[in-house]
Amino acid sequence: MTTEPLLSVENLHTTFTTDAGTLTAVDGISFEIEEGETMCLVGESGSGKTVASESITRLVQSPPGEVQGTVEFRGRDIGEMDDTELREIRGGDVAHIFQNPQDALNHCYTVGWQIVEAVQSHEPNTGREAARERAVELLTEVGIANAAARLDDYPHEFSGGQKQRVMIAMALVTNPELLIADEPTTALDVTVQAQILKLLDRLQDEYGMGILFVTHDLGVVAQIADSVVVMYAGKVMERGSVLDIFEQPSHPYTRALIECLPGGERSIDGIPGTLPDPVDPPEGCRFAPRCEHAVPECRTDDHPEESPVSGDHLAACIYYKPGYDATVIHGPETDAQANATGGVTND
Amino acid sequence: MGLEWYIARRVAWAFVVTFIIISVTWGLLAASPNPQVSNAVRSAAMNGDDPAEAREIQKKRLGLDEPLTKRYVDYMVSVYTLNWGWSQTRSQPVTEAVMNGLYYTVQYSIPWTILVILISPLIGIYSAANQYSWKDHAATGFAFFGYAIPNFFFGIILLLIFGLQLGWIPITYNTDVGVFSLANARQLAIPIFVLVTGSIGGTMRVARNESAEFINADFVKTALAKGVSPFRIYARHIMRPTMVPLSTTVVGQLLALFTGASLLVEVVFSIPGLGRLLFRSILAQDTSIVLGTSLFFVFIATIGNLIQDLVYTVLDPRISFSDR
Amino acid sequence: MATDKSSRFDNVDWEAVTADSGRALSTNLLGTLLCVVPLIALLVYDFVALGQYEDTFAFVGIGYDVTQLDWLFALSLILFVFYALLPLYQNPRITRYYWREFKRNRPAVVSLAFLTFVFVVGLLGPIFISQPEIDLVTQYQPPIGMSVQNTYPVQCLGEVTSGASGQLCHGSLAHPLGTDSRGRDILVMLIYGMQVTVKIAFITSLIVITIGTAVGTVAAYSGGMIDEVLMRYVDVQQSFPTFIAYLLILYAYGGGLFLFIVLFGTFAWEGTARYVRSNALTKSEDEFMKSAELTGASTYHIITRHLIPNTASSIITILTLLVPGFILAEAQLAFLGLGDPTAPSWGQLLSTGRDALPYAPWITLMPGFLIFLTILAFNFLGDAVLDALNPEAQAESE
């Protein structure tokens, strides 16, 4: 690993101006992704994870959106880039795939046309034939059978899983160093989901990409992540390696999420309560209203800063500050480990 | 069952529709008193001749004494063989009169159509891109104005201002100038402006509302994420899907105006086109021309509807032809 | 014939938007019947007992002969009161909700006020104001604030001043909007024109709603051959250029305002029929329709209580697009000199002023702007109704 991370996000804020007031979707989050690393951004829907992922290359519509904070890709500040540079980095060094493959491809153009467009956006000198050949190669690589013939098919002639493969092929056009995958498997069948995850895993090895994987599905996280950032209501709740998160979940929110997994203690009930209003968030810790361990200070103090649990494993919870007893949350060390490892497979 | 089969079926249906409409038109006129016969009877009565005899003579002359079925068959055959009869008031074959009128109608219809097709998606998408800004409101206001102001009334006002008061444009239409001359452009500028304003309103609104949907579509985000320039996103990714619903509206709007308002505009600006031909022949009670021009408009409408359906199917790749 | 129509027209039942109890319906039906029965009696009396040219109300000493148009107009007004206004009063909660949604769109509120004004003045004005009199002496009087060269009016009723181009006649209070080439007061003519406009709007709506919903529901519920034939007919009618059709029929049969209005209505219901049909087909798949069927509701009940309320909003939107088209068509025909010369419509007035345009432009401009404003108001209204009734399109009204 080099000393300089591939992507470093610092104090990212994304707000939207709405009729009801200013909506803060992402409220000062920071993270880093190393080369070739898979980082998972986890949270329930509405936690701001998608907006965070789209803020990186400034895909958020502006207005009404506004992105603040520093996003550095290989030491270059994306926020300082002009439109041309931004276009080069979008789909060049940093590629995106989205949640819903049904709508992510333009229904009026053939799949080949759309891949060729991606090629020519970054390599304007590539001829149409060369670009089409590249498209066939990529489609074959992502597992589309008979790619040359299917190049002139329209998106509606592909299944959902195939469309997501096409999206991935399109993302690979420029050998990106970072792939931002926003819930790429959520809209797909479970079997297709597994295939796509496998494909991403293989491609990551082949291309050496870093992946920022946004998901609400901890099962998927356990399968693919190297490191994990847990988000709630626009804030980071906990971060650490995938082992840290699953073996010693330290934030009450993370623990609740894990308990919600099938077979967990809360697989049916879920977490009581709802996400706070992003226009007018409650004072104190964002999760306090839904937290079973909350103490009065949680509601009166500022949102807690991230405190170390162990090493790089951090949790934004008052119990990890000096003077509080963290065992209240995860019990005696050994118990917690025994509970959490069950069902987790990690490579 | 592909595109060809669909087109074949659609064209066949267009033929059926014109056939029915022509039959209905014939029935309508056959069932009504013929003005030429009534005139003959009236003048016979005034001159002291036998009205009944005059009626028979006139009927025979016009071929109205034949049995209905024969008249119907004759009529349908002559319609489809383009043998549309003789105009008594104009002393020329009906087809010739229609062609003459068409010559002048085409001169303003083509620029009008091209302008609407070019301008309305542009304003619509521009409006959607600046949604709820003053630019959007201005465009919407313009659309509503053009839509609401009666074309002939707008024409009169503009003729009053630019023709009479300012003298920038000629008040009467000059048929002697060349088609591509500056003088012709000058005398057609206001009629074309009036028609374009009238038809842009509806189409521009459709373009705006449809493209507003696409501006927030996922595929636009995909295009943005793969580094496509904003101009190209508007020109390709948003324009293209917008054209699908827009094509229907454009053709519909143009047709409605072509078979309605353009007649009024021709009368106001005294352009000797098809519409004015129809209008004059109604006043002159020249049945053969009334029928001929009406049939021509019917053909245009049928062809327009046909084009509208075909364009729609060709533009939207998702339509499966076998369903229709 | 009238009762037959009413039973179908009650389909457009605002009240049923709330899917309320059956009691409200009976009030409406009762009121309708109470008004329609005397109307029919009067109609029968007019046709059977009186000759063609005898005044209908001669027996009470009013010298007015009710025309065919008036009968239809009266019927449409009765139905409007009992099935549009009364339901709004009966369901104050829903009414208030619609009003709140509607109020946010300011142009639409202004439009509604304007159209209500046209409706009320058009309905009542001609009762209180006598017909404009022809008086050539007072011809070409300019409106207040305008002036005309004094050579045009025979006698100037207002102030006369001398300007650079000779003597100028100014407008006066006697004729606030001026007079036309025959000395008729423009304001009075505009008010009479409002009545024609209101008649066009109401009667055509009645025809469009009646035929459109009837054909649409019959097609949807019969299916098969009947559906195919009806919808193919709709296709054919839709491809017939309407204005050309008007011209052809007028040419063949000549035309008064009654024929116009009936023509407009009968050539314009295909959009409504298509909409009602497709809505009926999708709605019959819907859960609540299924549950209605499970509880043993009759098809008639399903149609009147579920289908029609659900299509009402769209039908209203369709009407706000159609009605201005009819007003425009009447004006166009009148302008061409093919209109009904006895109908004091705006279009008629507009066309009479055309020759005097260079020196007396107000004769053309006044009715022209009124037509423009009316069509504009309908457009804004249609936009707002669409928004108010369709929560998804809410953002549009911002």
Side-chain angles (χ1 to χ4, degrees), chain C residues 84-129:
Chain C
L85 293 186
L86 187 61
L88 286 178
Y89 172 76
Q90 285 166 329
N91 298 283
R93 205 175 55 82
I94 293 284
T95 308
R96 268 201 301 275
Y97 167 76
Y98 282 146
W99 175 242
R100 246 197 336 270
E101 290 297 312
F102 183 78
K103 215 170 44 179
R104 309 188 340 182
N105 193 331
R106 222 170 308 146
V109 176
V110 176
S111 302
L112 184 66
F114 175 73
L115 291 178
T116 313
F117 170 78
V118 170
F119 172 68
V120 173
V121 174
L123 198 63
L124 303 179
I127 298 178
F128 296 109
I129 304 168

Side-chain angles (χ1 to χ4, degrees), chain C residues 91-312:
Chain C
N91 298 283
R93 205 175 55 82
I94 293 284
T95 308
R96 268 201 301 275
Y97 167 76
Y98 282 146
W99 175 242
R100 246 197 336 270
E101 290 297 312
F102 183 78
K103 215 170 44 179
R104 309 188 340 182
N105 193 331
R106 222 170 308 146
V109 176
V110 176
S111 302
L112 184 66
F114 175 73
L115 291 178
T116 313
F117 170 78
V118 170
F119 172 68
V120 173
V121 174
L123 198 63
L124 303 179
I127 298 178
F128 296 109
I129 304 168
S130 53
Q131 291 216 1
E133 280 164 39
I134 295 177
D135 181 4
L136 289 180
V137 175
T138 60
Q139 67 177 356
Y140 299 128
Q141 299 295 324
I144 293 174
M146 280 180 81
S147 60
V148 66
Q149 279 191 23
N150 208 11
T151 44
Y152 293 110
V154 176
Q155 182 198 344
C156 183
L157 294 179
E159 199 188 341
V160 179
T161 57
S162 33
S165 51
Q167 290 209 308
L168 289 176
C169 174
H170 290 268
S172 70
L173 264 180
H175 298 287
L177 294 184
T179 59
D180 73 347
S181 56
R182 289 193 277 169
R184 291 175 299 183
D185 186 85
I186 302 244
L187 180 62
V188 176
M189 292 182 77
L190 289 181
I191 291 173
Y192 271 79
M194 283 180 194
Q195 187 167 58
V196 176
T197 304
V198 173
K199 280 180 180 167
I200 294 176
F202 272 76
I203 300 174
T204 51
S205 299
L206 174 71
I207 297 175
V208 166
I209 293 171
T210 312
I211 306 184
T213 44
V215 171
T217 40
V218 167
Y221 282 92
S222 320
M225 226 16 223
I226 296 177
D227 182 24
E228 188 70 19
V229 168
L230 284 176
M231 284 303 114
R232 285 304 168 191
Y233 172 75
V234 165
D235 268 359
V236 173
Q237 183 167 312
Q238 212 152 35
S239 17
F240 206 128
T242 355
F243 196 71
I244 303 294
Y246 298 159
L247 287 180
L248 265 179
I249 294 175
L250 292 184
Y251 175 69
Y253 298 96
L257 191 59
F258 179 73
L259 180 69
F260 278 175
I261 295 180
V262 172
L263 265 187
F264 292 159
T266 41
F267 271 99
W269 50 265
E270 45 315 329
T272 313
R274 275 207 176 146
Y275 184 80
V276 170
R277 174 179 171 274
S278 68
N279 203 287
L281 289 180
T282 45
K283 283 282 148 42
S284 59
E285 303 289 317
D286 278 1
E287 282 307 309
F288 71 93
M289 290 287 271
K290 272 191 197 134
S291 60
E293 257 165 56
L294 283 179
T295 55
S298 68
T299 309
Y300 174 80
H301 182 82
I302 294 175
I303 291 172
T304 52
R305 310 293 285 166
H306 296 277
L307 173 65
I308 303 297
N310 279 293
T311 48

Side-chain angles (χ1 to χ4, degrees), chain A residues 164-223:
Chain A
Q164 199 57 289
R165 286 173 194 266
V166 171
M167 284 296 293
I168 294 171
M170 208 150 73
L172 294 178
V173 154
T174 50
N175 303 333
E177 295 183 72
L178 176 65
L179 177 69
I180 300 178
D182 180 9
E183 306 231 22
T185 57
T186 309
L188 305 174
D189 288 344
V190 185
T191 46
V192 182
Q193 197 171 336
Q195 290 169 7
I196 297 285
L197 289 179
K198 228 185 210 165
L199 174 68
L200 282 176
D201 194 41
R202 177 167 66 81
L203 293 172
Q204 182 173 29
D205 291 345
E206 223 168 283
Y207 286 77
M209 301 180 288
I211 295 184
L212 173 63
F213 199 99
V214 178
T215 184
H216 68 275
D217 186 344
L218 281 173
V220 172
V221 175
Q223 265 181 63

Side-chain angles (χ1 to χ4, degrees), chain B residues 28 132 144 147 156 279 287 305, chain C residues 239 251 253 336 357 379 395:
Chain B
L28 218 65
Y132 307 128
F144 272 179
Y147 196 73
I156 292 174
F279 172 61
T287 308
N305 283 324
Chain C
S239 17
Y251 175 69
Y253 298 96
L336 288 177
L357 198 58
N379 277 318

Side-chain angles (χ1 to χ4, degrees), chain A residues 8-308:
Chain A
S8 115
V9 173
E10 246 189 80
N11 200 16
L12 185 72
H13 281 268
T14 307
T15 54
F16 294 92
T17 314
T18 67
D19 292 342
T22 304
L23 183 153
T24 308
V26 179
D27 196 1
I29 67 167
S30 310
F31 57 83
E32 288 178 357
I33 299 174
E34 307 293 338
E35 251 174 74
E37 181 194 26
T38 302
M39 202 203 83
C40 280
L41 196 56
V42 190
E44 55 192 306
S45 38
S47 59
K49 55 192 193 306
T50 293
V51 176
S53 74
E54 287 174 2
S55 301
I56 291 169
T57 53
R58 303 292 196 271
L59 291 181
V60 180
Q61 239 186 39
S62 162
E66 201 192 333
V67 181
Q68 283 171 327
T70 326
V71 177
E72 282 186 358
F73 181 80
R74 288 205 173 284
R76 293 164 64 209
D77 188 342
I78 294 183
E80 300 287 305
M81 291 182 178
D82 62 25
D83 286 351
T84 322
E85 286 173 308
L86 204 55
R87 275 210 302 281
E88 275 166 17
I89 206 155
R90 284 176 184 160
D93 297 318
V94 182
H96 262 277
I97 54 180
F98 296 102
Q99 177 169 6
N100 188 356
Q102 300 301 339
D103 300 329
L105 290 164
N106 192 325
H107 57 259
C108 284
Y109 294 104
T110 62
V111 158
W113 188 96
Q114 299 187 50
I115 301 179
V116 167
E117 183 184 45
V119 175
Q120 290 181 334
S121 296
H122 294 279
E123 299 155 21
N125 298 327
T126 315
R128 205 172 151 271
E129 276 315 306
R132 279 175 70 90
E133 273 168 37
R134 178 109 177 88
V136 174
E137 260 170 53
L138 286 166
L139 284 179
T140 315
E141 172 134 57
V142 297
I144 300 276
N146 201 6
R150 302 221 61 188
L151 214 51
D152 293 320
D153 284 351
Y154 286 94
H156 71 272
E157 294 165 280
F158 289 76
S159 71
Q162 282 175 321
K163 270 185 233 177
Q164 199 57 289
R165 286 173 194 266
V166 171
M167 284 296 293
I168 294 171
M170 208 150 73
L172 294 178
V173 154
T174 50
N175 303 333
E177 295 183 72
L178 176 65
L179 177 69
I180 300 178
D182 180 9
E183 306 231 22
T185 57
T186 309
L188 305 174
D189 288 344
V190 185
T191 46
V192 182
Q193 197 171 336
Q195 290 169 7
I196 297 285
L197 289 179
K198 228 185 210 165
L199 174 68
L200 282 176
D201 194 41
R202 177 167 66 81
L203 293 172
Q204 182 173 29
D205 291 345
E206 223 168 283
Y207 286 77
M209 301 180 288
I211 295 184
L212 173 63
F213 199 99
V214 178
T215 184
H216 68 275
D217 186 344
L218 281 173
V220 172
V221 175
Q223 265 181 63
I224 60 162
D226 296 321
S227 60
V228 179
V229 170
V230 180
M231 264 184 89
Y232 180 81
K235 296 266 192 198
V236 172
M237 292 288 145
E238 183 171 0
R239 72 175 78 223
S241 72
V242 69
L243 282 173
D244 290 337
I245 297 295
F246 283 96
E247 296 195 355
Q248 194 184 23
S250 302
H251 195 285
Y253 176 61
T254 318
R255 295 185 66 84
L257 277 182
I258 290 176
E259 284 164 12
C260 287
L261 281 175
E265 288 168 36
R266 309 194 195 200
S267 54
I268 299 171
D269 306 336
I271 309 172
T274 50
L275 274 166
D277 180 3
V279 176
D280 182 23
E283 283 188 34
C285 173
R286 293 287 156 86
F287 187 60
R290 297 170 78 182
C291 182
E292 53 194 11
H293 303 292
V295 291
E297 298 93 288
C298 290
R299 299 203 170 83
T300 49
D301 291 3
D302 286 343
H303 186 81
E305 284 154 30
E306 293 175 40
S307 315

Side-chain angles (χ1 to χ4, degrees), chain B:
Chain B
M1 300 257 274
L3 182 60
E4 294 79 12
W5 173 237
Y6 170 74
I7 292 178
R9 275 194 340 183
R10 187 60 191 76
V11 170
W13 174 240
F15 269 103
V16 175
V17 170
T18 34
F19 187 84
I20 296 173
I21 290 180
I22 293 170
S23 304
V24 170
T25 314
W26 177 81
L28 218 65
L29 289 181
S32 74
N34 186 306
Q36 285 172 31
V37 175
S38 332
N39 283 345
V41 172
R42 202 176 309 126
S43 61
M46 281 190 182
N47 297 338
D49 296 337
D50 178 13
E53 192 187 334
R55 177 192 305 270
E56 288 318 308
I57 293 171
Q58 184 68 9
K59 270 194 165 178
K60 203 172 188 105
R61 225 166 61 83
L62 295 169
L64 297 179
D65 54 341
E66 311 259 11
L68 271 182
T69 43
K70 185 175 183 306
R71 276 164 60 197
Y72 174 66
V73 173
D74 283 353
Y75 169 78
M76 293 308 277
V77 168
S78 54
V79 165
Y80 279 103
T81 51
L82 286 185
N83 177 18
W84 289 3
W86 181 265
S87 158
Q88 282 180 326
T89 53
R90 297 176 63 98
S91 305
Q92 67 181 151
V94 172
T95 38
E96 201 181 303
V98 169
M99 282 305 144
N100 271 342
L102 190 60
Y103 177 72
Y104 295 104
T105 300
V106 161
Q107 286 181 31
Y108 70 84
S109 296
I110 288 184
W112 161 39
T113 310
I114 293 175
L115 283 175
V116 170
I117 292 176
L118 285 184
I119 298 176
S120 54
L122 287 184
I123 303 187
I125 292 179
Y126 178 80
S127 196
N130 297 291
Q131 223 171 353
Y132 307 128
S133 69
W134 67 268
K135 293 168 188 160
D136 180 25
H137 290 308
T140 305
F142 172 69
F144 272 179
F145 170 82
Y147 196 73
I149 194 153
N151 285 292
F152 68 97
F153 176 63
F154 195 32
I156 292 174
I157 295 180
L158 293 182
L159 202 59
L160 181 69
I161 297 172
F162 293 106
L164 279 175
Q165 305 272 331
L166 298 173
W168 291 356
I169 53 159
I171 304 165
T172 49
Y173 186 84
N174 186 354
T175 52
D176 295 334
V177 298
V179 176
F180 295 103
S181 65
L182 197 65
N184 200 32
R186 242 176 54 163
Q187 65 184 359
L188 287 179
I190 296 289
I192 291 174
F193 177 73
V194 167
L195 287 168
V196 168
T197 325
S199 31
I200 259 184
T203 45
M204 178 247 140
R205 282 297 281 179
V206 173
R208 174 190 178 276
N209 294 344
E210 293 291 337
S211 58
E213 243 170 71
F214 296 126
I215 282 174
N216 296 316
D218 282 356
F219 60 75
V220 166
K221 202 184 272 175
T222 305
L224 199 61
K226 68 187 182 188
V228 179
S229 69
F231 175 76
R232 195 181 156 90
I233 287 181
Y234 278 108
R236 295 293 203 135
H237 289 270
I238 293 173
M239 178 79 96
R240 179 60 210 276
T242 305
M243 288 310 283
V244 178
L246 192 62
S247 64
T248 330
T249 327
V250 168
V251 179
Q253 287 268 330
L254 287 175
L255 269 186
L257 280 195
F258 185 78
T259 58
S262 81
L263 190 150
L264 277 292
V265 169
E266 282 184 10
V267 172
V268 168
F269 291 95
S270 55
I271 301 170
L274 274 181
R276 207 173 73 136
L277 179 67
L278 174 58
F279 172 61
R280 290 239 163 143
S281 54
I282 287 177
L283 293 187
Q285 300 202 314
D286 189 337
T287 308
S288 47
I289 296 241
V290 171
L291 255 179
T293 33
S294 306
L295 286 184
F296 191 81
F297 280 117
V298 168
F299 280 135
I300 295 285
T302 325
I303 292 171
N305 283 324
L306 180 67
I307 291 175
Q308 171 182 323
D309 277 12
L310 295 185
V311 165
Y312 189 78
T313 7
V314 171
L315 280 184
D316 192 345
R318 288 175 303 179
I319 289 179
S320 84
F321 307 108
S322 45
D323 297 352
R324 303 195 36 149

